[in-house]
Amino acid sequence: MSAAPWLVVPAAGQGRRMGGDRPKQYLEIAGRPVLAHTLARLHAAFPAARLCLCLDPEDARFDPAWVPFAEWRRVPGGVERVDSVTQALEAIALEAADDDLVLVHDVARPCVTVADLMRLHAALADDPVGGLLAAPVADTMKRDDGDGRVAATEPRTGLWHALTPQGFRFGLLRRALATAREAGVVVTDEASAVEALGLRPRLVSGRRDNLKITHPEDLALAGQILAAQGQAAQIPSGSTSGETASAPAGAGAMER
Ligand code: C5P
């Protein structure tokens, strides 16, 4: 696939589970906000992509200097993540063709590697449905009884963690989100909306260290992952990108 994808980055969440003094995308790793790290990774893989960044309309912390893309727009976020993504799709509806690839990536996942981004992009090049980065479940899975005790052990065979990016053709994704909304289907990722149409998104095996910063301990972990990947120190303040599309230094040993 040669055409650069559209990128939708939902970044309008409040990150209440982090309990910090600011939304988690503005917490800092190596002197830079999470949002800047995430956009730098995406730009390193897809420098010609067109970006839709979903931000809370009241967000006063955002600094456009953190955006390395030449073509980008700010889109007002919605009440839920799915509303933010929907609004981004509506914002590009006059320009995007139905078969344009749209990659949606959570701003809270700064550790996604260039290699995983490019592998997902290549895997979706000819896929009629689309797909997502995902990691097989490694732990034994328990279901609770609602009272702090184990009700059952769930078989983990065939279970995956859904990561991002998730990539689908513009027309299909827009239709899937609209259909899910009309049907009252709860949508926590793009794939679940596409699944609700009866389609089967492709699972593209991704690195387990593509964590979503959610809980307070995740921030330090993300910083250690970025450092181990040899990237954090290479993103100078105000730079458009500290990375190249070649394998990042130190990443080879961690590659799946
Ligand atoms: O809160 P959670 O980590 O599940 O959010 C996932 C992503 O969706 C984050 O990048 C967050 O900023 C974004 N989000 C959004 N609009 C909302 C809620 C979450 O863009 N209303």
Side-chain angles (χ1 to χ4, degrees), residues 76-141:
V79 177
E80 304 289 344
R81 180 186 181 280
V82 64
D83 304 314
S84 296
V85 173
T86 298
Q87 290 186 188
L89 297 185
E90 293 313 312
I92 63 173
L94 291 178
E95 294 159 65
D98 272 1
D99 62 353
D100 281 358
L101 183 67
V102 179
L103 297 179
V104 183
H105 184 64
D106 289 333
V107 75
R109 295 186 185 272
C111 302
V112 66
T113 63
V114 171
D116 267 10
L117 290 167
M118 295 180 84
R119 186 165 49 245
L120 176 71
H121 190 237
L124 301 185
D126 299 316
D127 197 287
V129 177
L132 63 151
L133 284 179
V137 165
D139 299 308
T140 299
M141 305 301 287

Side-chain angles (χ1 to χ4, degrees), residues 2-14:
S2 56
W6 292 90
L7 295 176
V8 170
V9 176
Q14 298 304 313

Side-chain angles (χ1 to χ4, degrees), residues 19-42:
D21 65 343
R22 64 191 76 179
K24 57 190 176 183
Q25 56 270 28
Y26 296 120
L27 296 173
E28 292 197 348
I29 296 173
R32 299 268 288 164
V34 166
L35 178 146
H37 286 282
T38 302
L39 295 183
R41 286 284 167 106
L42 293 170

